[in-house]
Every structure is written in C-alpha cells, then in structure tokens.
Amino acid sequence: MPSTRSTATFPENTTAPPTARPLPFLAQAARDLLARYPGGELSDVVVVVPTRRAVVYLKNELSLAAEVGQAVWSPRIAAMEDYMVELAGVQVEEPIALQLLLFDILRDIDARLDFDQFVGWSGLLVQDFSNLDQNLANPKKVFEYLTQAKALERWDLSLTPAEDSTTAAYFRFWDDLEKVYWRLRRRMEHDHLAYPGLAYRLAARRVKNRLEAGEALPQHVFLGLGTLSKSEEKLIQRLRKAGRAEVLFDGDAFYLETDSPNRAGQHLRRYRKLWDLPAEAFGGVPGHGLPELLRGLPRQVQFVGVANSSMQGKVAGQLLAESRRLDPKAKVAVVLPDETLLLPVLHGLPLDAVPEYNVTMGLSFQSTPLFNLVDLLFEVHLTGIREGSQETGYGVPRYHHLAVQKLLTHPFLRRYQHWLDQQPEQPHHLLDQICQQIVKRQAVLLPATELLEMGQQHPLIEALFATWDTCDDIIAACYTLIDLLKKAYQDQHSAIEAEYLYLFFTLVKRLDSVFDCREQRLSVRSFRRFLYEQMARTRLPFSGEPIADVQVMGLLETRALDFDHIIILSCNERVLPAPKNHASLFPYDVLTQFNMPTYADHEAATAYQFWRLLQRARRVDLLHVLPGADGSRTGERSRFLLQIENDLRLQNSRMELRDVTVETAPSSLPSPAKEIPIGTEIVETALGDLTLAKDPEMLTALRGALERGLSPSALNQFVGCSLQFYFSRIARFQEAEEVEETLGADGFGTAVHAALEKLLQPFAQGQRLLTAEDIPGLIKQADKEVARALRREEKERHARADEGLNYVLGQVAVQLVRRYFESLLTQPGALPLQIHGLEQQLFATVFVPMPDGEKLPVRLIGYADRLDRLPNGSLRVVDYKTGMVQGFELKLQKAKEPASAAVERLLMEASSGAEKVRQLWLYRFMLEAEGQPAADAAILSMRNLPGGLLTADMSFLTEDGQSFRQASEELLGQLVHRILDPLEPIRKTDDLDRCQYCAYRGICAR
C-alpha cells in the first residue's frame, strides 16, 4: 500500500458480538422462489430484475439454492428493459436511422430545414419524445403547454418577424412539434419499430388490453427494482390489481422511514404508500418492520483521498490485493461511476493477487487510442482552410502544421511506419521524413498536394490528407486507413488493437449502409457527429467469468447485486452524483408539470443505488480526489461521504470509519538530472539546487569549449547562469526546431537587422558616404526590405505569413527603420556617415597562463552589426538593439567609485547593462587584436533613437596606465580561470527572471 496519513480518528467497537451476515438479496429471493413455487410451478413464473447482470446472478443463485440432485425448471428471467420491449412486440430502431427518419418528417413540414443544424439537436429531440412516452405523459397536453409557453416569449415582440427570419423559424418549430411527434409515432408503429420510450408505452398499453380482454397472463415477480418510470409503474400496478404480480424491493429503514430526509428512499417511499406495501415487500422480516442493515451490521468504511483521478486505479489495485490476501473467498466489486477510469483500474490490478476477474461495463470506444487517431484526423480536416490567392492555391485545402504533426506522431501510425520499414521496396521513416520536411520548410499551412509530394504519394498519406467534401470521401478514407493499419497489427501480440480496428470497421460500415441510399450527402461536421454518437455507444467487450469473485463494473450494473467488499472510485461531487445537467429541449417546468424525470430524480436514483450497495458489505473503500488536486473538477467530497460521516456513523455504533490520504514518497533526485550525459558527480543540496562538480572530465570539456571559440553571448551566458552555459555549450542540448508561426522577439530583431543590412549595403566597405540626400530613398525602400526580411523567402521554404500578429509586428519594424533614418537628419554629427563594414566577423586568440605553466589558447569569435570609420580614421563598433536601452545602463563605474568596482561588475555581474558593456568590450578587444584599434563602442537602441548612439565608457580599464588590450587580456584570463576553477561548481542561477525564457528550465526543474 502507498503510505497513508490518517486525518480523522473514530472510535472502534471491538467488543460487539459477532452478527451473522445476511444472505445476498438475490440468494434470499432464489430460496423464496423455490419455496413458494415448488415443482413445475416455477417454470410458469416470469421474474423481472433490473439488469442483465442480475439475470445471470439470479440463475446462479437458483442453481445453488436447489437441493442436490433435484432438477429445477427455471422461471422466465428477464431484465426490465428487455421484457418491456418483448411485451411491446416491436423492434427498437437504431438511433441513426431514427434521426434520419425524423429529418425526413421535419423536411416534409419545413423544406428549408438545414441538415447540419438539425444534427445539432435531433438527438435531444428523440430523447425527449422517448422520455415523454416512457412516462406516459399526454402528448396533446404537453405540446399545448409548450406552444403556450413559447407564445409568451413572443408577447413583447413589437413587430411580427419576417417569414424567412431565424426568429420565425424558431417559433414555427415549436408550433409544429406535435405534428412531428404524431407522424413519427405513426411511422414507427406501422413498421413495428419504436424508440425506447415508445416501446415502454406500447408495452403498458398491450398489457392493459390483454387484461381487459380476459387473457390469462403468467405470474410476475419483480425483484430489486429501484426508480421506475411511469410506464413501469402502470404495468406493475395493473398486474398487481389483476393478482398477477408480486413486488420485492431491496430497501433499508435508514432511508425508507417516513421521516427520513435521505433522498435514496424518495421513490420507494412513494411506491410503499401508493401500493400499500408491507415491510416484507422491502426485505423485512414479518413482525419486525423494515430491515436494519445499514444501522445494524458492523462494517469497516474507509475514505481514501488521492492526488489525482488516474492515481485511483493504482490505489484501487492495492486495496484489492490487500482484500484478497485477508479473505481470498470474499466477493469484491470495484465500482466506477466515471467510466474513463476503466483502463487505469485494469492497469492497476495486481495479476498475482487477482488472477481472475470480470469486467462487466466494457471499454468505451472513445477511451481507445484509435478514437484519438480518428479525432486527430477530423481535426486536421476541420481546421484546414480553403482561401487564398491564385498563387497559394485558391480552393485547395491547406492543413495546419500542428494538427498534421500531431496526427503523424500518433502511436497507431508510428506502429505502421515500423512495419513499413521492414518491408522491401517501401519508403523508410516515411512519417519522420514528412515531419522533418515540415519544420525544414517552415510550413505553417500545407496544401494536400505538398503533403502527398512529401509522402511520395503513399496510400497512407493519401488516405489521411486527400480532400474531404462529403461523407463519401470520409468513408473511403476510413476504409483505406483500416486496410493499411491492420497489416501492422496482424501478429498475435496485437489482439486488442486488431479488435479496435474491427469495431471501427463495423461502425463505418454501418454508417455507409445508412447513408448510401440517401440523396443528400452529409457534410464533414455532420458525419463526425453521427460517427461520434456511434462511438459513444460502442463498447469493447471483455471476456471473463460472469460470476467471478472480483467484478469491475459501473454503478448502474450493481443494482440488485451484493458484495462483501466494495471499492467505489470518484466519490466527488459532479461525478457521484452526476452534475445537474438539463439535457432536454423541453423547459424544466414542462418536465415537472407532467411528472417527467428531472435531474433531481436522477440524483435520488443514484443515492438509492449507492446506499443499497452498502447494505450488506462488510468493508467499503470510498476513493475521492482531494480538493485542488485535479483542475478539471472541484475536488469536493461527494455528499454521500458526508452523510456517512455525519448521519450513518452516529446511528451505527458498530461501524468503524477511517479517513486517510494517500501520499507518495518524493524521490531523492529529480528525474531531469538523469538526462545529464556527462558522467560527473551530481550534488543535490538541501534546497534542491542542482550543481555539477568540475571533475577532470568536466574540466577537459570546458577547456575544449574555450579552445573551439566562445562568443560574447556565451560568456554572458556563463556569468548569468553557468548551468545554462553547460547545457548549451558543453552538453550541447539543442532546442527542438519548430515551425515559427508567429514572430518571436528574436525573429523580430533578426528581421530589423536584416533590413538595415540590406538598406546600408551600398554604403559599406567605404564605397560611398551616407549623406542627407540618401535618406529619403532609404525611407522609401524600408517597407519593401522589412517585408522581405520578415517573409524570409528562400528556396524550399515557406514564406512567413504576413497576417495577424506578424502583420502588426511588421508595421512596427517598418516604423523603427524609418525613424532611425529620420533621426540621422536631426542628430548633430551623424551625417555624413562612412560605413566600414556590416555584419563583420571578428576573431581573436588569447593565450591565458595556467597554474601548471601552460598557456591555454582561448579563441573569441563574434559578429559586429556595423563598423563605422570616424573622421579621424579610427573605428567605432555599433551594436543594434531593438529593445529599449538607456544610457545609464552602460555606465559600470558609478560616481566616486574606484575603477576596481566597475571591473568587478564587468566580470561578475549578470545585469542587463553589464551584459551589454561586456559584449561591446569584447567586440572592441577583438578589433584591437586584429590590428584595427576601435576608439568607441556604442549601442543603437531602436526604441531610444533620440538618445543617439549610446557609448559604453570603458575608461576604467586603463586608469592604472595599462593599454586597453593588455588590461583586457588580463581580465579575460580571470574569466577563464573562473570557468576552469574546480572549486566553483556549475549551478543554476538564483535570478528566477532569467529562467522565464530559458530553453532548459524544464531540465533543471525551474
């Protein structure tokens, strides 16, 4: 078990005398049936139970209850839903065919009805019709009420809406609703078809007619039912009145007593009063009143808080293993109110402790990886666009790169690529090559033709990206995709994936047959809605022993069943019970007026299922997600847990209640540290500061980096964060290259630099001076050069899109370039300007003395944005900055401070100003080392053009009489010694602001 922390302690009753456990409800019912209907009488009885699962359990209990060697004729046992359909004598129509029939009826009434809009609400309308019939509401009165309610909405309309307006169509829909209902119902009854609710209405009517005709009906026994619809109520009531039915509910005094506030007994209390049922009809012993199972039996109840939803599966498996160890013969149920947890639970079951179990609920197709693949495929096609100029392919769909790359990296397609790589004369690494080409070409939107060209016209790529216009195209693509993928899943180890593909094939085949005979073709969105509805209803069945000791099931499937140990997951509000959703086109007041169920009735039904399940359980574990632990839910405990703690516990002194929280032991070392490739000693301090010791191997790597060459930005990186320097320059962790969809800060600066370089190129290398007469022409060319720099038009590369935020940033860049040239006209001495070089590469090598007498050659490299030739013949280094730079930032020597303070800032400080001065200092030094002494080094801030060229004062370097070059070589030596100092480990910075945009913040746990 994971470590647990008890958060509440409750008194334990260890002296209570042992109590005989009551028989399970169905076991007792089986004994009663055999006793009351001896011999062949039982075969004439119809026993109705809530679920098909209960049918299996009751048959098993009947076989166990029969005497050894005695043959028993089994009664007719059926689930309530199946029996109602059987009584109705109809076949329940598939939802898709039902919706299409409904559309045809509506289209006859309103020829302007749009199918895509109809798809959005057709499912709800069919559900409402079904609800209306199942609860025997009077259709005429319901629709009359609806019409009058909608008429009130029109009361304040000053003008009658136009006939073809949306408002008129809305009110016309409600006026025609009764007509639609009766036409649909007549069509259904004529063809001996029905939707579920209509089957219930027809069943109740047929039983009434048969009884009135004097037909002899078999004896009925209704076992373990809970909340009944009005048609079920009426059926039972008529059979009881005719003396052909008995009812046995599974209840408890805790919620059935007349004054009980517990909503679990809301419906059963009404049935008791309506039909004047004795306590024996609820499992009570004659003469002793209602059963006292919840308040009278000893049991252990445990609340288990976990950090997140998926963790519940692991914890449930551990609780189950402990249960099997303590009592190997106990009947255990793992109950999942949230069916999405089925896979985590199955993965968490310990096979050694639980070798056999049964899964009754089935895996929803929407929880499978194949559904995710289909969803990604629709995302690609539905997020594509079909607009543009003739040059970009008008009318040709273009797919967004993120959707395409997500699709191509899906595990199903990766498995196919692996299979394809093993086939002769087939392209290798097909999907990887396409993803690489997308990044290489910087393709934001990709035409289908380009994707097919990247994929070498392979059938898989054609199936994925061929244009979809109607449902026929989608169905053809799905068939091709299934045929290709099944080749990769033919081996025996891929049975479950092959089952996914088979289920998907049956779904597509069903839709193909339904839509094949229809003249109107569905749009992509409508087809997706129909397909997803089918997927939501489709379950991947699991094979197992139906009455195994361990059952994994949903809450509805537990009706009428009993277990020794119950493990219920997701005991949180909005899951247990479900949220108060009003999924109906009928207003809430219509539902209440005509006694149709609302969310309040659903909550009462859930409450009954929960409390009934606890009645005979000896041990109950209730798992819940802790508050704030799961962003998708509130983390509030279910009301049922609060009722156990504050109500049931006070009434049952023999109940032991524990409240625990599952905690995971923290690891001693963050997992990112395992990614460090160099076998160096890693030190983890008490504060969690990841440091790397400079052992001999590390020092060798650092020396190699110094000899290969360091740029000013690399040295700034070391001063700012030595761990970032290590990742970038030593370990050489490369950032994953991505498609640049929107212009980032670095891309914006690069574009401005490129535009200025192109505009000033005619004046470089002293070809001619830049004068005031040249400025108007340069300003005129700024638009074109900035646009060219932003689009980055290169061979086999998509131009960067000039729209949205990119367009706005492009206009900003144009204004910056224009204003710079305009500022040259107003700044004294700025013109004429002689440009010596643009984007000039600089080199220098410094031989740094080492402690062992060796002179280490340290290479410096860099690129100067611009070199100006001053009137006196000396050079000036100019570095462009597109951000804001103030002149005071470049003054490292403050007033009345010694030069040594400025030198220390130059070598040690990681501030923005110190980094800029350090960069200009190294540029100036490299020029001097090349024999081109620079008299000045300055920054041109495009956001501070009135400030002119901002000079970095470096006079503090030569205050002691040393030359600039000599002083610089000594300071560089100090920097090199610091880099190679084994006593100063490599560690992450303490300035968290630097981590905000760092590419490695995930590795160092920042």
Side-chain angles (χ1 to χ4, degrees):
M1 282 286 294
S3 61
T4 59
R5 174 174 56 85
S6 178
T7 57
T9 304
F10 302 100
E12 299 183 14
N13 190 340
T14 58
T15 61
T19 303
R21 304 304 301 184
L23 285 174
F25 173 75
L26 291 181
Q28 185 62 52
R31 295 188 180 189
D32 292 343
L33 286 171
L34 289 173
R36 296 182 59 191
Y37 301 97
E41 295 181 28
L42 189 58
S43 62
D44 298 327
V45 176
V46 176
V47 181
V48 182
V49 291
T51 65
R52 294 172 185 172
R53 180 64 44 187
V55 171
V56 175
Y57 270 75
L58 180 57
K59 288 181 178 179
N60 181 65
E61 294 294 350
L62 282 170
S63 66
L64 294 175
E67 295 181 8
V68 178
Q70 177 187 5
V72 176
W73 291 99
S74 174
R76 165 84 166 90
I77 306 175
M80 175 59 92
E81 182 178 357
D82 296 336
Y83 190 57
M84 294 295 280
V85 174
E86 179 185 323
L87 288 176
V90 295
Q91 180 181 345
V92 175
E93 181 64 293
E94 284 192 353
I96 290 182
L98 192 58
Q99 290 181 47
L100 294 177
L101 174 59
L102 181 63
F103 176 74
D104 291 338
I105 293 172
L106 282 163
R107 194 68 179 270
D108 290 339
I109 297 173
D110 183 1
R112 290 169 292 185
L113 178 64
D114 180 71
F115 189 82
D116 285 351
Q117 292 181 349
F118 164 80
V119 168
W121 46 261
S122 60
L124 278 179
L125 183 58
V126 171
Q127 179 181 312
D128 285 335
F129 284 171
S130 182
N131 192 19
L132 182 153
D133 281 326
Q134 188 170 358
N135 291 279
L136 303 180
N138 187 316
K140 182 176 180 59
K141 291 184 178 180
V142 169
F143 293 118
E144 181 181 353
Y145 187 99
L146 267 175
T147 302
Q148 294 174 357
K150 295 302 173 182
L152 291 175
E153 295 182 13
R154 284 175 275 189
W155 186 263
D156 61 349
L157 289 179
S158 57
L159 297 175
T160 302
E163 183 68 19
D164 58 347
S165 67
T166 304
T167 304
Y170 169 76
F171 290 119
R172 193 165 54 245
F173 167 79
W174 293 104
D175 293 339
D176 294 336
L177 207 52
E178 183 179 4
K179 191 186 306 181
V180 173
Y181 168 81
W182 284 113
R183 288 189 184 183
L184 177 63
R185 181 169 164 180
R186 282 194 291 268
R187 289 276 293 273
M188 298 255 88
E189 293 185 34
H190 178 269
D191 297 333
H192 299 286
L193 299 173
Y195 44 83
L198 180 57
Y200 276 65
R201 183 189 284 273
L202 294 176
R205 188 173 69 185
R206 286 193 65 186
V207 168
K208 174 187 175 184
N209 294 339
R210 292 169 67 182
L211 289 172
E212 290 176 350
E215 182 178 343
L217 296 180
Q219 181 70 18
H220 291 71
V221 178
F222 294 92
L223 291 179
L225 303 180
T227 303
L228 303 174
S229 64
K230 292 296 184 291
S231 55
E232 292 167 329
E233 273 188 46
K234 188 64 69 174
L235 175 76
I236 295 174
Q237 184 174 339
R238 285 170 177 157
L239 288 172
R240 289 187 75 250
K241 185 176 181 180
R244 307 308 299 166
E246 304 171 34
V247 184
L248 180 60
F249 293 103
D250 187 13
D252 189 87
F254 176 68
Y255 53 81
L256 282 179
E257 290 175 342
T258 306
D259 58 348
S260 173
N262 198 310
R263 293 175 62 186
Q266 172 180 317
H267 297 290
L268 267 63
R269 288 194 295 267
R270 186 170 64 83
Y271 303 148
R272 185 184 185 190
K273 181 178 179 180
L274 177 67
W275 296 332
D276 192 23
L277 296 174
E280 291 79 7
F282 296 90
V285 179
H288 291 79
L290 293 169
E292 287 283 2
L293 301 175
L294 287 170
R295 293 186 294 208
L297 296 180
R299 61 173 49 85
Q300 295 178 341
V301 180
Q302 182 171 242
F303 299 164
V304 184
V306 297
N308 54 63
S309 293
S310 58
M311 189 177 177
Q312 295 180 94
K314 182 68 173 176
V315 175
Q318 294 171 338
L319 290 170
L320 184 56
E322 181 187 22
S323 173
R324 304 305 290 164
R325 179 178 58 81
L326 296 175
D327 187 357
K329 295 183 179 181
K331 307 293 185 182
V332 185
V334 180
V335 182
L336 309 181
D338 181 1
E339 67 175 20
T340 61
L341 292 179
L342 178 57
L343 283 181
V345 167
L346 295 182
H347 288 306
L349 292 180
L351 295 180
D352 53 342
V354 191
E356 292 184 0
Y357 57 89
N358 184 51
V359 182
T360 67
M361 57 193 306
L363 176 64
S364 170
F365 191 88
Q366 289 187 321
S367 300
T368 67
L370 185 57
F371 172 78
N372 181 248
L373 174 66
V374 176
D375 194 43
L376 290 174
L377 185 58
F378 274 99
E379 181 184 343
V380 167
H381 287 269
L382 291 176
T383 56
I385 64 172
R386 296 196 182 203
E387 57 187 13
S389 63
Q390 293 183 352
E391 291 78 10
T392 56
Y394 181 82
V396 176
R398 294 183 293 160
Y399 306 123
H400 197 272
H401 71 99
L402 289 178
V404 171
Q405 289 181 304
K406 277 198 299 183
L407 176 63
L408 295 180
T409 53
H410 189 276
F412 260 79
L413 297 185
R414 288 293 165 174
R415 174 68 177 269
Y416 178 77
Q417 177 183 257
H418 178 70
W419 174 85
L420 197 65
D421 290 344
Q422 298 173 347
Q423 308 306 309
E425 300 181 3
Q426 289 289 342
H428 286 193
H429 307 295
L430 175 67
L431 305 182
D432 291 333
Q433 290 178 9
I434 295 175
C435 292
Q436 292 167 6
Q437 283 294 315
I438 291 173
V439 176
K440 181 180 179 181
R441 300 183 187 189
Q442 287 292 295
V444 176
L445 294 172
L446 296 115
T449 52
E450 186 174 0
L451 282 166
L452 287 172
E453 174 260 318
M454 290 180 184
Q456 306 172 41
Q457 308 298 323
H458 192 277
L460 175 66
I461 307 305
E462 187 172 351
L464 294 175
F465 302 112
T467 306
W468 287 356
D469 292 318
T470 66
C471 60
D472 295 334
D473 301 322
I474 306 173
I475 291 172
C478 290
Y479 280 147
T480 304
L481 187 60
I482 293 168
D483 288 339
L484 292 172
L485 291 179
K486 72 180 182 181
K487 298 176 182 177
Y489 290 101
Q490 289 177 338
D491 60 274
Q492 60 180 353
H493 301 295
S494 305
I496 191 166
E497 289 85 358
E499 187 72 18
Y500 296 158
L501 288 170
Y502 174 73
L503 283 178
F504 183 44
F505 173 77
T506 59
L507 291 175
V508 176
K509 190 70 176 176
R510 189 182 311 162
L511 293 176
D512 189 11
S513 62
V514 168
F515 296 125
D516 184 52
C517 58
R518 296 188 64 83
E519 178 181 350
Q520 183 178 14
R521 314 316 291 164
L522 269 67
S523 69
V524 176
R525 293 186 185 275
S526 297
F527 183 85
R528 181 178 69 163
R529 180 181 291 273
F530 274 114
L531 179 61
Y532 282 19
E533 283 184 4
Q534 286 295 300
M535 289 177 169
R537 297 188 185 98
T538 302
R539 294 287 186 273
L540 181 65
F542 292 89
S543 60
E545 173 56 47
I547 54 173
D549 288 345
V550 177
Q551 298 281 330
V552 180
M553 57 204 327
L555 185 61
L556 281 173
E557 295 168 302
T558 65
R559 288 175 291 175
L561 306 184
D562 292 295
F563 300 91
D564 301 314
H565 182 191
I566 304 293
I567 303 173
I568 306 180
L569 281 66
S570 304
C571 294
N572 289 86
E573 285 294 306
R574 299 185 59 80
V575 183
L576 186 70
K580 299 179 180 180
N581 292 333
H582 180 66
S584 172
L585 292 179
F586 292 174
Y588 184 80
D589 59 318
V590 173
L591 302 180
T592 56
Q593 177 70 25
F594 295 96
N595 296 319
M596 289 188 280
T598 64
Y599 62 78
D601 295 294
H602 297 314
E603 287 183 351
T606 302
Y608 170 68
Q609 292 155 18
F610 176 83
W611 287 106
R612 194 218 62 80
L613 185 59
L614 267 59
Q615 287 174 183
R616 297 172 182 84
R618 294 194 298 251
R619 176 179 171 184
V620 180
D621 290 308
L622 304 173
L623 278 63
H624 62 93
V625 180
L626 295 170
D630 193 328
S632 63
R633 300 195 176 99
T634 62
E636 181 184 356
R637 285 183 176 185
S638 170
R639 65 193 70 174
F640 302 141
L641 272 63
L642 299 178
Q643 290 167 6
I644 290 174
E645 181 179 355
N646 299 298
D647 190 4
L648 180 61
R649 182 175 68 91
L650 301 179
Q651 300 183 51
N652 186 352
S653 60
R654 305 173 68 187
M655 185 179 76
E656 176 187 346
L657 179 61
R658 297 179 64 231
D659 191 347
V660 300
T661 299
V662 177
E663 297 177 344
T664 55
S667 60
S668 59
L669 185 65
S671 57
K674 298 176 183 177
E675 300 182 15
I676 305 300
I678 293 182
T680 183
E681 180 184 357
I682 301 175
V683 182
E684 185 77 14
T685 69
L687 297 177
D689 181 19
L690 176 64
T691 62
L692 306 178
K694 293 178 183 175
D695 59 8
E697 188 176 0
M698 174 69 80
L699 291 173
T700 301
L702 290 170
R703 287 170 63 99
L706 293 170
E707 292 173 351
R708 285 192 304 272
L710 292 180
S711 63
S713 60
L715 289 175
N716 278 335
Q717 203 174 47
F718 177 82
V719 174
C721 177
S722 58
L723 187 61
Q724 184 188 49
F725 171 84
Y726 166 77
F727 287 144
S728 175
R729 312 292 169 169
I730 309 302
R732 299 186 186 181
F733 288 170
Q734 299 297 318
E735 295 183 54
E737 193 175 356
E738 298 177 346
V739 176
E740 186 184 52
E741 191 167 345
T742 56
L743 198 63
D746 53 345
F748 177 80
T750 302
V752 172
H753 280 59
L756 286 173
E757 181 185 3
K758 189 71 175 177
L759 290 168
L760 295 176
Q761 196 64 48
F763 307 96
Q765 303 297 332
Q767 297 177 33
R768 63 189 181 94
L769 295 177
L770 175 62
T771 63
E773 289 76 17
D774 299 310
I775 299 301
L778 293 174
I779 294 175
K780 189 175 181 180
Q781 296 178 56
D783 281 22
K784 182 177 68 174
E785 294 302 335
V786 169
R788 181 181 300 169
L790 287 172
R791 286 178 62 82
R792 292 186 65 184
E793 294 174 336
E794 300 174 10
K795 186 178 180 181
E796 294 187 354
R797 179 189 175 95
H798 286 217
R800 185 186 282 120
D802 185 20
E803 56 190 22
L805 182 59
N806 287 354
Y807 176 79
V808 174
L809 292 174
Q811 295 303 304
V812 172
V814 169
Q815 291 300 317
L816 290 180
V817 173
R818 283 178 175 173
R819 288 175 184 172
Y820 166 63
F821 287 121
E822 291 169 354
S823 69
L824 292 179
L825 297 173
T826 59
Q827 292 176 6
L831 297 174
L833 177 63
Q834 183 179 0
I835 300 175
H836 178 73
L838 296 170
E839 294 296 328
Q840 184 165 329
Q841 190 171 16
L842 306 175
F843 300 97
T845 300
V846 180
F847 292 91
V848 178
M850 305 304 292
D852 59 0
E854 176 195 3
K855 288 194 174 183
L856 178 67
V858 177
R859 181 177 170 83
L860 298 176
I861 55 176
Y863 287 88
D865 291 335
R866 196 177 84 202
L867 292 178
D868 297 341
R869 178 72 67 180
L870 300 180
N872 62 5
S874 60
L875 295 176
R876 175 176 60 199
V877 182
V878 178
D879 189 55
Y880 300 143
K881 298 293 183 188
T882 51
M884 170 63 75
V885 182
Q886 301 283 0
F888 67 84
E889 294 181 67
L890 306 183
K891 299 185 183 301
L892 293 187
Q893 187 173 9
K894 310 303 179 185
K896 300 181 180 179
E897 273 190 349
S900 59
V903 169
E904 184 176 357
R905 289 194 184 96
L906 183 67
L907 296 181
M908 304 294 293
E909 194 172 285
S911 66
S912 174
E915 287 184 345
K916 293 179 178 67
V917 174
R918 198 176 298 122
Q919 186 175 11
L920 293 177
W921 162 54
L922 292 172
Y923 283 153
R924 183 175 168 185
F925 171 74
M926 284 186 277
L927 278 174
E928 291 239 4
E930 291 181 354
Q932 304 181 74
D936 193 11
I939 283 178
L940 174 63
S941 172
M942 304 299 289
R943 310 267 182 177
N944 186 18
L945 293 174
L949 290 175
L950 306 175
T951 299
D953 182 14
M954 301 181 193
S955 59
F956 60 86
L957 295 174
T958 56
E959 276 194 7
D960 57 359
Q962 282 186 310
S963 67
F964 176 83
R965 179 172 180 177
Q966 183 181 3
S968 297
E969 286 180 348
E970 289 184 5
L971 295 180
L972 279 168
Q974 294 181 38
L975 268 176
V976 170
H977 286 147
R978 182 185 170 195
I979 292 173
L980 298 177
D981 184 2
L983 299 179
E984 181 181 342
I986 290 176
R987 60 180 298 273
K988 53 190 174 187
T989 180
D990 295 325
D991 183 6
L992 296 182
D993 290 336
R994 296 186 65 90
C995 303
Q996 187 174 0
Y997 300 106
C998 177
Y1000 310 106
R1001 64 184 181 276
I1003 299 178
C1004 63
R1006 279 279 172 84

